[in-house]
Amino acid sequence: MISYEDAKVIFGYLVKYRDIFNSNEINAILSYLTNSDYEVFMPDIMRELCDELKIIPDNKSLYKAFMMLVDSVFDIKNKRIIEVGGGIIPTLGKRISNYQDSGNIKVYDPRLSIYEKSTEKIVLFREKFTINTDVEDADLLIGLMPCEAANVIVKSAVNNRKDFMLALCEGGSHGDDFDGYADEEKWRATLISYAQEKIEENGLGKIKIKYLKEYGDPYPIIYNERG
């Protein structure tokens, strides 16, 4: 659970930037802060806040762990990266931009905070990433539990023969891209099967799967590995 002192820091942030969160998000944050029996893994918005405010140490940060996993596979220091579903606070994107040398990152999410600004290293797009979004200049597409955007990331990557790494999630809200599947596990299995087929078909190597369970993410992380 969050300590009393850390909770005060979070409340201060909510007061200062309360207009970037909707009522459901604020309720989710308050529920996590006040419910000592909250046993599920940390909600996305809570994880973003805690990482932004340095409440989660680096050795326990899912954002840093995912960034280092991407780097270990694709060497991202000088890569041009697109992140899909960057969150209200572009936590992963900011970490990557600070880590890179001559590389840069474009972050797509309609909900990106109005208080976050683009720089030469990180460019923010307050719009939905679609299958028609131009990825010609990108070396790599990534997503950290982007829910319904996962399908689009895979399709865009394989259609444009781009490397990608995608951390899957529980499946998101039904009523979006998940209708027609009996459950979230079926959705994940179908997406992984599709990615495997298209990776090989488009000369992107082989599909690989890893996990970051020790950082609170129980779901598979999929990517292509060229031979």
Side-chain angles (χ1 to χ4, degrees):
M1 287 297 296
I2 303 296
S3 71
Y4 174 74
E5 291 302 319
D6 288 339
K8 285 174 59 178
V9 173
I10 291 171
F11 278 121
Y13 188 96
L14 291 179
V15 171
K16 186 175 182 179
Y17 301 113
R18 59 182 175 273
D19 54 329
I20 68 174
F21 305 110
N22 62 38
S23 59
N24 289 335
E25 289 158 349
I26 291 175
N27 288 337
I29 293 168
L30 295 179
S31 177
Y32 191 90
L33 290 176
T34 59
N35 189 349
S36 60
D37 295 324
Y38 209 120
E39 296 295 338
V40 301
F41 67 90
M42 189 176 284
D44 291 347
I45 184 62
M46 195 70 207
R47 189 185 297 111
E48 287 180 12
L49 271 175
C50 288
D51 208 271
E52 173 74 7
L53 299 172
K54 311 302 181 187
I55 291 170
I56 299 176
D58 270 4
N59 64 348
K60 294 184 179 179
S61 169
L62 175 60
Y63 296 102
K64 183 174 182 181
F66 183 72
M67 179 183 75
M68 298 313 297
L69 177 59
V70 177
D71 187 51
S72 70
V73 176
F74 296 111
D75 188 12
I76 63 174
K77 286 280 192 178
N78 304 308
K79 289 289 196 305
R80 298 166 298 178
I81 302 171
I82 288 177
E83 182 196 0
V84 180
I88 296 174
I89 305 170
T91 309
L92 177 62
K94 290 199 289 187
R95 277 189 174 270
I96 289 175
S97 68
N98 290 331
Y99 180 76
Q100 288 185 307
D101 292 330
S102 62
N104 59 67
I105 183 165
K106 296 177 180 179
V107 182
Y108 285 82
D109 199 308
R111 291 293 315 282
L112 280 164
S113 168
I114 59 173
Y115 300 101
E116 300 290 345
K117 306 301 180 184
S118 295
T119 69
E120 290 184 0
K121 299 281 289 181
I122 179 170
V123 183
L124 307 179
F125 292 86
R126 292 175 175 85
E127 59 189 71
K128 191 172 183 178
F129 182 90
T130 74
I131 197 66
N132 296 316
T133 300
D134 185 7
V135 299
E136 181 64 28
D137 292 335
D139 300 309
L140 175 67
L141 275 60
I142 63 172
L144 178 58
M145 294 192 287
C147 291
E148 63 266 21
N151 291 32
V152 181
I153 294 171
V154 173
K155 289 178 181 178
S156 179
V158 296
N159 287 351
N160 293 282
R161 293 182 170 84
K162 300 292 183 179
D163 293 326
F164 75 94
M165 183 174 285
L166 169 63
L168 299 178
C169 64
E170 72 277 9
S173 302
H174 287 285
D176 294 312
D177 294 341
F178 307 96
D179 287 345
Y181 296 103
D183 53 37
E184 289 87 355
E185 182 60 39
K186 178 65 174 177
W187 169 74
R188 285 191 294 272
T190 301
L191 181 57
I192 291 171
S193 178
Y194 171 83
Q196 180 176 17
E197 175 186 347
K198 294 300 181 181
I199 285 171
E200 295 180 6
E201 184 179 298
N202 288 283
L204 293 171
K206 300 288 185 182
I207 191 170
K208 297 290 182 178
I209 301 176
K210 288 189 181 294
Y211 290 86
L212 291 173
K213 294 180 180 180
E214 64 270 36
Y215 296 94
D217 177 12
Y219 303 109
I221 297 169
I222 64 173
Y223 61 96
N224 71 296
E225 186 176 86
R226 299 183 190 244

